[in-house]
């Protein structure tokens, strides 16, 4: 499957944006690029011009706070899922008159040729007056997939087919304690059931059976969080910094199979070459450590299974798994058209897996690639991201995202 040339067909049709009745976007002044004064375009404009339709209806909401609702069916091909159909949505809105930050709701549904189906709903909501910030991540998977054992010395021949059902419920609430600095508490649940491993080749089954006992597993715990976020728009940041620290304590008293603790440390930073430029240099670091105890195999840190499933472009999700993961990525984003409709990116990443916190770094797995950006909504600045990534050992593949990868 992985050596086939990958085809990707995107966009049956752009459906609609929501404001009162079903419409594409609110009646707002045309978006402009400050440096060129060229009117900005998105896919709605392209369809209006090409199909001679009035897709942008007048709205009774004139304050420009939103909501800006995007919905689009897509067809794609990925390393993990083969030919996949999806319905992807994004809702962006302001909750304050000063338009300090966009709040975002993402909800996507998928079905693949391998009879995988999954639903993802992410929320990132700011209540400025109450100085509260809510972050949620809800998922359901029916997901035959692959894993390759622990560490970075495995090969694509060390393949284990695993079928399972998966429910994720993550919710955190934060209180702003200083400007852009939030402290919060949350609850995380990872529940896998009907787990059926099938050895294809190699020795991955030994690692799997060592840490994944039986046909179900539960990790249930409280999280303590510290968040710094000076970005205005998380879907497509143009400046600012994100810093996030999350301590998670999984406890038997909360239904967890065992007591184990983890720590996630994440940072993102965005730099523009000049104030007038639309180009951007972005940096991302993500570290997921097991501090104490042993998580089930399917809950261990793993490439492609972070909160937004975006780590490791160039590798199939689950390609590298272990107790401790360190990940770095950088990306250069640039415009291809003056009207903002098309853009491009080049990116590079590197990751390593360590069995223990005191273990030395023995092997670093690099990845690189390039991608296309298509403006889906010029008001919320939401892009369709289509990337092709390359890893080592013959690994390569296509990656799709609604909004920027980080």
């Amino acid at each position: 499957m992985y050596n086939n040339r990958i085809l990707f067909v995107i966009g049956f049709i752009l459906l609609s944006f929501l404001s009162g009745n079903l419409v594409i976007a609110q009646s707002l002044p045309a978006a402009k690029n400050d440096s060129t004064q060229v009117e900005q375009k998105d896919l709605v404009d392209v369809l209006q011009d090409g199909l001679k339709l009035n897709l942008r209806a007048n709205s009774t909401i004139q304050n420009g706070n939103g909501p800006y609702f995007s919905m689009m069916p897509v067809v794609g091909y990925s390393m993990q899922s083969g030919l996949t159909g999806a319905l992807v949505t994004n809702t962006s809105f302001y909750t304050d008159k000063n338009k300090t930050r966009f709040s975002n709701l993402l909800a996507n549904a998928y079905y693949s040729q391998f009879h995988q189906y999954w639903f993802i709903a992410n929320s990132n909501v700011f209540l400025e007056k109450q100085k509260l910030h809510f972050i949620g991540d809800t998922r359901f998977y029916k997901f035959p997939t692959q894993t390759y054992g622990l560490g970075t010395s495995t090969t694509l021949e060390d393949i284990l087919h695993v079928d399972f059902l998966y429910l994720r419920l993550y919710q955190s609430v934060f209180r702003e304690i200083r400007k852009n600095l939030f402290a919060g508490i949350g609850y995380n649940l990872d529940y896998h059931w009907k787990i059926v491993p099938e050895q294809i080749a190699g020795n991955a089954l030994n690692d799997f059976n060592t840490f994944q006992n039986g046909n179900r597993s539960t990790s249930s715990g409280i999280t303590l969080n510290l968040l710094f976020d000076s970005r205005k728009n998380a879907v497509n940041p143009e400046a600012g910094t994100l810093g996030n620290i999350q301590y998670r304590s999984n406890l038997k008293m909360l239904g967890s199979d065992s007591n184990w603790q983890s720590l996630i440390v994440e940072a993102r930073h965005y730099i523009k070459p000049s104030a007038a430029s639309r180009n951007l240099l972005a940096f991302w670091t993500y570290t997921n450590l097991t501090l104490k105890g042993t998580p089930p195999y399917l809950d261990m840190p793993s490439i492609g299974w972070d909160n937004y499933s975006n780590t490791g472009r160039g590798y199939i999700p689950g390609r590298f798994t272990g107790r401790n993961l360190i990940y770095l990525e950088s990306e250069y984003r640039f415009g291809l058209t003056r009207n903002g409709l098309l853009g491009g990116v080049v990116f590079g990443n590197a990751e390593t897996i360590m069995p223990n916190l005191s273990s030395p770094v023995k092997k670093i797995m690099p990845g690189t690639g390039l991608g296309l950006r298509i403006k889906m909504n010029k008001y919320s600045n939401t892009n369709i991201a289509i990337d092709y990534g390359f890893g080592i050992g013959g690994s390569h593949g296509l990656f799709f995202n609604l909004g920027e990868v980080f």
Side-chain angles (χ1 to χ4, degrees):
M1 172 176 70
Y2 308 113
N3 293 326
N4 294 335
R5 298 191 65 177
I6 294 179
L7 302 176
F8 188 86
V9 182
I10 183 171
F12 287 135
I13 187 171
L14 189 67
L15 292 182
S16 56
F17 289 41
L18 188 63
S19 175
N21 296 319
L22 196 63
V23 297
I24 290 283
Q26 296 181 1
S27 178
L28 299 174
K32 296 279 188 177
N33 180 285
D34 292 337
S35 61
T36 63
Q37 292 301 306
V38 174
E39 182 177 351
Q40 299 297 280
K41 298 285 187 179
D42 58 19
L43 279 179
V44 182
D45 298 319
V46 173
L47 288 175
Q48 283 195 141
D49 295 341
L51 301 178
K52 307 301 181 183
L53 297 175
N54 182 22
L55 297 177
R56 295 202 191 275
N58 290 330
S59 169
T60 58
I61 303 175
Q62 298 293 330
N63 61 10
N65 284 346
Y68 310 117
F69 178 77
S70 311
M71 181 169 59
M72 184 181 65
V74 296
V75 174
Y77 191 103
S78 72
M79 301 171 68
Q80 189 178 27
S81 306
L83 188 66
T84 301
L87 183 66
V88 297
T89 72
N90 169 262
T91 304
S92 299
F93 55 93
Y94 291 109
T95 58
D96 66 315
K97 295 181 179 180
N98 295 327
K99 301 181 182 180
T100 307
R101 300 181 183 90
F102 259 126
S103 293
N104 302 103
L105 303 174
L106 306 176
N108 305 332
Y110 305 83
Y111 186 80
S112 81
Q113 73 176 86
F114 302 141
H115 307 295
Q116 302 158 313
Y117 52 88
W118 65 105
F119 173 80
I120 300 175
N122 296 125
S123 58
N124 190 15
V125 178
F126 293 91
L127 299 181
E128 297 291 341
K129 289 184 178 180
Q130 291 78 25
K131 296 186 179 296
L132 294 177
H133 181 196
F134 296 89
I135 297 179
D137 184 359
T138 301
R139 305 186 187 194
F140 174 78
Y141 285 76
K142 171 63 173 68
F143 212 74
T145 189
Q146 297 82 38
T147 187
Y148 299 83
L150 300 180
T152 54
S153 298
T154 60
T155 68
L156 289 175
E157 285 70 40
D158 296 313
I159 183 171
L160 175 68
H161 181 91
V162 183
D163 196 358
F164 58 85
L165 295 173
Y166 172 48
L167 176 66
R168 172 187 287 186
L169 295 174
Y170 292 1
Q171 184 65 61
S172 299
V173 57
F174 295 81
R175 174 74 177 179
E176 189 170 18
I177 54 178
R178 296 186 63 181
K179 183 179 180 180
N180 299 325
L181 181 63
F182 300 82
I185 189 170
Y187 172 73
N188 285 9
L189 171 69
D190 294 282
Y191 177 55
H192 295 83
W193 72 103
K194 294 187 178 181
I195 302 170
V196 180
E198 179 184 355
Q199 183 69 68
I200 305 300
N203 299 311
L205 184 60
N206 294 334
D207 289 339
F208 187 86
N209 286 336
T210 299
F211 298 100
Q212 193 75 43
N213 297 320
N215 63 358
R216 55 163 296 280
S217 66
T218 303
S219 296
S220 176
I222 297 295
T223 65
L224 301 177
N225 306 272
L226 189 64
L227 174 69
F228 177 86
D229 192 355
S230 62
R231 304 171 302 168
K232 184 175 182 178
N233 184 358
V235 171
N236 188 359
E238 296 182 340
T241 300
L242 168 75
N244 181 40
I245 300 174
Q246 180 187 91
Y247 170 77
R248 174 175 175 176
S249 180
N250 299 276
L251 302 170
K252 289 184 177 181
M253 63 180 296
L254 295 176
S256 187
D257 291 340
S258 63
N259 296 324
W260 61 274
Q261 291 80 45
S262 65
L263 181 69
I264 294 176
V265 180
E266 180 181 14
R268 305 180 185 190
H269 186 59
Y270 307 88
I271 301 174
K272 280 192 172 184
S274 68
S277 175
R278 289 190 291 124
N279 299 346
L280 189 73
L281 187 59
F283 299 92
W284 180 23
T285 175
Y286 176 86
T287 300
N288 191 344
L289 306 175
T290 303
L291 301 179
K292 187 177 180 180
T294 301
Y297 185 98
L298 292 176
D299 292 335
M300 284 187 174
S302 186
I303 284 296
W305 284 97
D306 56 289
N307 283 358
Y308 288 90
S309 302
N310 285 335
T311 51
R313 280 181 290 178
Y315 297 98
I316 187 171
R319 177 64 186 87
F320 302 113
T321 301
R323 289 175 57 87
N324 303 286
L325 167 68
I326 299 176
Y327 182 80
L328 303 170
E329 181 161 358
S330 63
E331 181 175 271
Y332 185 66
R333 304 170 186 171
F334 52 91
L336 293 175
T337 59
R338 294 179 65 195
N339 64 7
L341 178 63
L342 298 178
V345 303
V346 291
F347 62 86
N349 58 55
E351 53 266 0
T352 191
I353 296 288
M354 299 184 300
N356 298 294
L357 296 179
S358 59
S359 301
V361 175
K362 292 184 177 181
K363 194 172 184 180
I364 297 176
M365 314 302 290
T368 188
L370 69 166
L372 177 69
R373 297 295 180 267
I374 305 172
K375 188 70 67 183
M376 184 175 178
N377 184 341
K378 63 188 179 183
Y379 297 112
S380 64
N381 209 21
T382 301
N383 288 331
I384 300 167
I386 308 169
D387 298 317
Y388 203 98
F390 301 86
I392 64 174
S395 181
H396 59 89
L398 194 68
F399 301 83
F400 170 83
N401 222 53
L402 181 60
E404 294 302 323
V405 172
F406 66 94

